[in-house]
């Protein structure tokens, strides 16, 4: 799954609710998920780690949508040396 596609899907699915909640409340949810990720790390719970990492990514993309950041473009600018082969070639 490509990052731009994932961000677009998060916007399609959740932008309305995220907009009503607002930037700061959405950020608070992200911080809560990071805390839950920390708990999963401390417990060594693999399933919880997977779920919480997915939640952190989802909430990060939701926040990016609210503040108008294209995460893929920002990531490429910040980490230009990171390259992924086109889908189906790697």
């Amino acid at each position: 799954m490509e990052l731009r596609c994932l961000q677009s899907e998060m916007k399609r699915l959740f932008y309305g609710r995220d907009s009503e909640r607002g930037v700061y409340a959405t950020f608070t949810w992200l911080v809560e998920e990071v805390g839950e990720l920390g708990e999963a790390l401390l417990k060594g719970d693999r399933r919880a780690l997977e779920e919480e990492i997915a939640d952190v990514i989802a909430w990060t993309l939701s926040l990016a949508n609210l503040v108008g950041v294209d995460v893929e473009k920002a990531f490429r600018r910040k980490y230009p040396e990171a390259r992924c082969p086109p889908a189906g070639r790697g």
Side-chain angles (χ1 to χ4, degrees):
M1 196 178 301
E2 293 182 18
L3 193 51
R4 182 164 286 134
C5 175
L6 192 55
Q7 183 172 359
S8 178
E9 278 299 287
M10 291 303 297
K11 189 171 192 174
R12 182 181 70 80
L13 293 169
F14 300 110
Y15 189 79
R17 279 188 272 171
D18 293 338
S19 294
E20 289 177 15
R21 182 184 311 106
V23 171
Y24 297 106
T26 299
F27 176 72
T28 299
W29 275 97
L30 170 59
V31 170
E32 181 178 324
E33 294 300 338
V34 171
E36 291 176 8
L37 174 58
E39 291 173 14
L41 282 166
L42 290 173
K43 292 178 184 175
D45 183 338
R46 178 68 181 198
R47 183 176 171 143
L49 281 169
E50 290 174 0
E51 289 181 14
E52 298 309 332
I53 286 172
D55 284 344
V56 167
I57 292 168
W59 283 101
T60 299
L61 293 174
S62 286
L63 184 60
N65 284 331
L66 287 177
V67 297
V69 170
D70 178 327
V71 175
E72 188 170 305
K73 185 185 288 184
F75 196 90
R76 286 182 185 188
R77 187 175 299 129
K78 175 75 177 179
Y79 300 101
E81 69 281 0
R83 303 268 184 232
C84 294
R89 295 188 189 168

